[in-house]
């Protein structure tokens, strides 16, 4: 989250999966846990990455946090030839300088691999063999694919368009979840079950991925894989995004971090759609010294931060770091960072560094997706802080030591752990797609898709019918409505 207004055919897929597994079976042990959770040190990863950056057109990577006063490293990489519709400046954060540089570089590689070109390993089709149920992707205008003969006289719906701006949720609260009557899924669901048997699947471009829970190949819309998405032979279903786009020193490392990002955005979405104030996380007993070092930097800069526990019913630790700006009184610097990890202290590090990245990005102003900050700056600082007051208050508190650390420090075991946690809570598919282009070697890039998980935090037009019930579930026990 940037701030409180808040970055093939079957045989080809089969060969890719086998190659990746054979290539990476030799090492799944985590060897670096200080500033991240990786197989290699940041220095080792940077050595692999530097030659790739030149090949994909990155012209500059530089530290950009000098305009801010915190001192937590933030880097920016620039790739001028990014496709239209994609950003060309990629920020990276880290508790150490090298980690931040690696983060920025890997972000550039991920974005490059998500763009479609002649090097893309996945091939699209309009005749899927095993298509995912489209309603599981929370598509806001799914009725545009309905086979009209099945609807009799119920198809004369003026909202049956490809308009993506169809969400009525303008405020982040539960009451407005009831106001999603512009969502075509909800409007037609009483009359017709919107399942694949009633839809024109050939109107969608599909690519094949691998479901690592059910151990089978499954087709997903290309719209959910590539960014920016170019609708060549199919309809545009929703705004493309980078949720679940991840890279790593190995296939397993990329998959693990892709899963965590999707879970993070799901928990964040639920928090944005609810009114509840989440419990504060007390970091006094944190064991990782980098946490205390970063907190000291915030204090010296006179920036107050509060850590909130956003963990959903899935149980994978997810935290948010919220910062104020009482010195400059700039509403665009009321920032939030979110982190998710089996190790809660790694989640905290990710959230803290993301706040530093958000601030530096807003101040630096080079990214194409920071224009909203200019609009936010028209609102007075004190008023914006009042609007977002639930993030700065709390009724309950939990010590970081009380949040269970489920990390095994072995990626294979960790992936099995998150698979079990997701399955136990009704998320029965994890689809992985290999995006490695021939121009990228020594690192792995994947897209992870977890059907039925919320994506409102990255696309406010997409809200599932189940979100209100999930919000209620997440209020049980420790969480309360203000």
């Amino acid at each position: 989250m940037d701030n409180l207004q808040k970055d093939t055919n079957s045989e080809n897929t089969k060969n890719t999966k086998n190659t990746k597994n054979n290539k990476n079976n030799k090492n799944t042990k985590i060897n670096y846990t200080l500033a991240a959770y990786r197989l290699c040190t940041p220095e080792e990863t940077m050595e692999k990455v530097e030659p790739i950056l030149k090949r994909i057109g990155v012209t500059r990577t530089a530290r950009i946090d000098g305009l801010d006063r915190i001192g937590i490293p933030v880097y920016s990489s620039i790739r001028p030839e990014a496709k239209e519709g994609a950003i060309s400046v990629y920020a990276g954060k880290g508790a150490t300088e090298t980690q931040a540089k690696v983060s920025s570089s890997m972000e550039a590689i991920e974005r490059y691999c998500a763009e479609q070109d002649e090097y893309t390993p996945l091939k699209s089709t309009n005749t899927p063999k095993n298509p995912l149920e489209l309603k599981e992707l929370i598509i806001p205008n799914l009725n545009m694919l309905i086979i009209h003969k099945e609807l009799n006289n119920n198809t004369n719906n003026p909202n049956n368009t490809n308009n993506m701006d169809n969400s009525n949720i303008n405020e982040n609260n539960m009451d407005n979840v009831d106001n999603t009557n512009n969502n075509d899924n909800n409007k037609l669901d009483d009359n017709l079950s919107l399942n694949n048997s009633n839809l024109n699947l050939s109107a969608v471009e599909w690519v094949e991925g691998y479901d690592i829970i059910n151990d089978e190949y499954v087709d997903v819309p290309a719209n959910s894989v590539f960014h920016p998405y170019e609708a060549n032979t199919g309809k545009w279903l929703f705004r493309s995004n980078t949720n679940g786009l991840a890279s790593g020193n190995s296939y397993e490392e990329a998959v693990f971090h892709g899963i965590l990002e999707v879970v993070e955005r799901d928990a964040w979405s639920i928090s944005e759609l609810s009114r509840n104030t989440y419990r504060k996380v007390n970091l006094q007993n944190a064991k990782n010294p980098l946490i205390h070092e970063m907190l000291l930097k915030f204090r010296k800069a006179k920036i107050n931060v509060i850590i909130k526990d956003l963990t959903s019913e899935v149980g994978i630790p997810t935290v948010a770091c919220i910062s104020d700006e009482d010195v400059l009184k700039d509403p665009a610097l009321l920032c939030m960072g979110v982190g998710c990890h089996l190790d809660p202290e790694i989640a905290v590090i990710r959230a803290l560094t993301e706040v530093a990245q958000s601030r530096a990005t807003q101040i630096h102003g080079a990214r194409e997706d920071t224009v909203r900050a200019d609009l936010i700056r028209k609102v007075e600082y004190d008023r914006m802080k009042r609007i977002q007051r639930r993030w700065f208050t709390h009724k309950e508190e939990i010590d970081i030591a009380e949040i269970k650390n489920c990390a095994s420090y072995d990626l294979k075991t960790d992936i099995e752990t998150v698979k079990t946690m997701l399955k136990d809570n009704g998320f029965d598919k994890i689809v992985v797609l290999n995006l490695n282009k021939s121009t990228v070697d020594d690192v792995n890039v994947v897209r992870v898709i977890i059907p039925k998980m919320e994506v409102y935090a990255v696309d406010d037009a997409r809200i599932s019918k189940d979100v209100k019930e999930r919000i209620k579930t997440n209020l049980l026990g420790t969480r309360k409505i203000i």
Side-chain angles (χ1 to χ4, degrees):
M1 182 174 183
D2 283 339
N3 49 50
L4 285 180
Q5 81 266 19
K6 211 164 166 139
D7 85 59
T8 200
N9 56 33
S10 179
E11 192 60 33
N12 186 29
T13 307
K14 192 178 299 183
N15 290 340
T16 299
K17 176 177 178 283
N18 291 337
T19 300
K20 292 298 174 191
N21 285 343
N22 291 336
K23 179 180 177 181
N24 294 293
N25 274 341
K26 58 184 179 182
N27 179 26
T28 59
K29 297 289 184 183
I30 293 297
N31 293 305
Y32 181 78
T33 60
L34 182 62
Y37 192 86
R38 299 286 179 176
L39 296 172
C40 307
T41 66
E43 291 76 15
E44 291 170 324
T45 302
M46 197 66 224
E47 188 176 344
K48 297 179 185 179
V49 165
E50 283 181 327
I52 300 174
L53 297 177
K54 295 177 182 178
R55 291 200 295 272
I56 68 173
V58 172
T59 58
R60 184 171 182 262
T61 297
R63 188 167 175 173
I64 64 168
D65 60 285
L67 296 175
D68 201 359
R69 62 184 192 275
I70 303 175
I72 294 175
V74 178
Y75 268 74
S76 177
S77 295
I78 300 173
R79 187 168 65 90
E81 295 182 1
K83 284 206 170 186
E84 183 178 356
I87 62 173
S88 59
V89 182
Y90 318 104
K93 73 268 188 186
T96 68
E97 187 167 355
T98 306
Q99 181 61 37
K101 188 175 183 180
V102 167
S103 175
S104 172
S105 301
M106 294 294 257
E107 178 79 8
I109 293 171
E110 291 168 13
R111 295 295 187 109
Y112 165 75
C113 287
E115 296 176 0
Q116 291 174 275
D117 60 25
E118 65 270 27
Y119 301 111
T120 298
L122 300 173
K123 306 303 178 185
S124 62
T125 180
N126 295 103
T127 55
K129 295 179 180 178
N130 184 26
L132 181 73
E133 284 286 343
L134 286 174
K135 62 184 178 182
E136 294 187 347
L137 290 179
I138 316 176
I139 297 174
N141 50 350
L142 190 54
N143 69 354
M144 69 177 175
L145 298 174
I146 289 175
I147 301 171
H148 285 206
K149 65 180 181 180
E150 304 252 357
L151 277 177
N152 297 321
N153 296 322
N154 293 326
T155 57
N156 297 320
N157 187 339
N159 291 317
N160 190 4
T161 69
N162 217 8
N163 179 12
M164 298 304 306
D165 196 15
N166 63 348
S167 172
N168 276 356
I169 297 189
N170 297 316
E171 301 290 338
N172 296 329
N173 58 54
M174 269 188 67
D175 290 344
N176 287 315
V177 176
D178 292 326
N179 295 330
T180 57
N181 57 2
N182 274 352
N183 186 316
D184 292 333
N185 286 0
N186 292 337
K187 288 189 110 178
L188 293 178
D189 195 60
D190 291 339
N191 301 319
L192 180 71
S193 177
L194 292 177
N195 53 49
N196 280 3
S197 64
N198 298 319
L199 303 177
N200 179 13
L201 300 185
S202 64
V204 178
E205 278 186 296
W206 302 82
V207 292
E208 191 175 64
Y210 195 78
D211 180 357
I212 63 173
I213 286 183
N214 298 292
D215 198 26
E216 65 177 2
Y217 297 99
V218 60
D219 299 289
V220 298
N223 197 165
S224 64
V225 178
F226 302 115
H227 177 75
Y229 172 60
E230 300 168 354
N232 297 315
T233 63
K235 286 185 177 290
W236 189 65
L237 302 175
F238 42 71
R239 289 189 291 267
S240 62
N241 58 60
T242 60
N243 190 27
L245 183 63
S247 57
N249 294 286
S250 73
Y251 173 78
E252 290 85 359
E253 187 177 281
V255 169
F256 178 62
H257 286 89
I259 293 171
L260 294 179
E261 180 167 273
V262 178
V263 173
E264 172 191 303
R265 266 66 182 282
D266 173 75
W268 169 21
S269 296
I270 291 172
S271 72
E272 291 286 0
L273 286 165
S274 70
R275 276 184 182 169
N276 55 312
T277 176
Y278 289 81
R279 59 187 180 182
K280 175 185 176 181
V281 181
N282 187 326
L283 299 176
Q284 185 175 350
N285 293 317
K287 296 178 181 178
N288 193 311
L290 291 179
I291 292 177
H292 300 286
E293 290 177 18
M294 286 191 287
L295 290 175
L296 180 60
K297 289 180 178 180
F298 278 108
R299 284 197 297 271
K300 286 184 175 180
K302 296 183 179 180
I303 299 169
N304 298 310
V305 294
I306 183 171
I307 303 293
K308 292 291 192 76
D309 176 18
L310 305 188
T311 306
S312 73
E313 78 277 15
V314 174
I316 301 174
T318 306
V319 301
C321 175
I322 301 94
S323 69
D324 66 12
E325 181 44 271
D326 288 342
V327 175
L328 297 177
K329 299 284 186 178
D330 183 347
L333 296 181
L334 289 171
C335 294
M336 175 185 283
V338 185
C340 176
H341 206 279
L342 289 175
D343 182 340
E345 294 200 6
I346 295 293
V348 168
I349 289 173
R350 291 185 60 82
L352 286 168
T353 55
E354 191 163 292
V355 162
Q357 174 183 304
S358 297
R359 286 180 55 92
T361 301
Q362 297 299 338
I363 294 169
H364 191 248
R367 274 177 61 149
E368 298 93 327
D369 59 351
T370 61
V371 292
R372 195 176 177 189
D374 296 331
L375 299 176
I376 293 299
R377 286 188 170 101
K378 296 180 181 180
V379 181
E380 291 182 359
Y381 173 80
D382 291 333
R383 182 184 173 209
M384 181 58 69
K385 194 169 180 180
R386 283 196 303 272
I387 291 171
Q388 303 292 350
R389 62 187 178 274
R390 68 190 180 95
W391 289 112
F392 295 94
T393 61
H394 68 282
K395 293 184 177 181
E396 298 177 80
E397 187 171 311
I398 184 172
D399 193 284
I400 186 69
E402 297 178 53
I403 303 177
K404 186 177 180 181
N405 181 358
C406 295
S408 69
Y409 306 98
D410 182 281
L411 288 167
K412 282 191 172 180
T413 304
D414 289 338
I415 290 172
E416 290 303 314
T417 297
V418 295
K419 283 166 60 176
T420 299
M421 296 173 82
L422 287 163
K423 282 192 298 183
D424 288 348
N425 287 280
F427 300 97
D428 55 358
K429 299 180 187 70
I430 301 174
V431 183
V432 179
L433 300 103
N434 168 45
L435 293 181
N436 260 61
K437 296 180 177 179
S438 59
T439 45
V440 174
D441 54 13
D442 288 332
V443 297
N444 291 262
V445 179
V446 301
R447 169 79 81 158
V448 174
I449 298 169
I450 305 178
K452 297 184 284 189
M453 289 215 125
E454 297 297 329
V455 292
Y456 173 80
V458 294
D459 187 346
D460 61 8
R462 297 169 66 186
I463 307 168
S464 78
K465 294 189 307 174
D466 301 324
V467 70
K468 194 168 184 180
E469 192 61 37
R470 289 192 64 202
I471 289 172
K472 292 178 181 178
T473 298
N474 282 279
L475 295 177
L476 296 175
T478 60
R479 297 173 176 84
K480 300 177 181 177
I481 294 179
I482 291 177

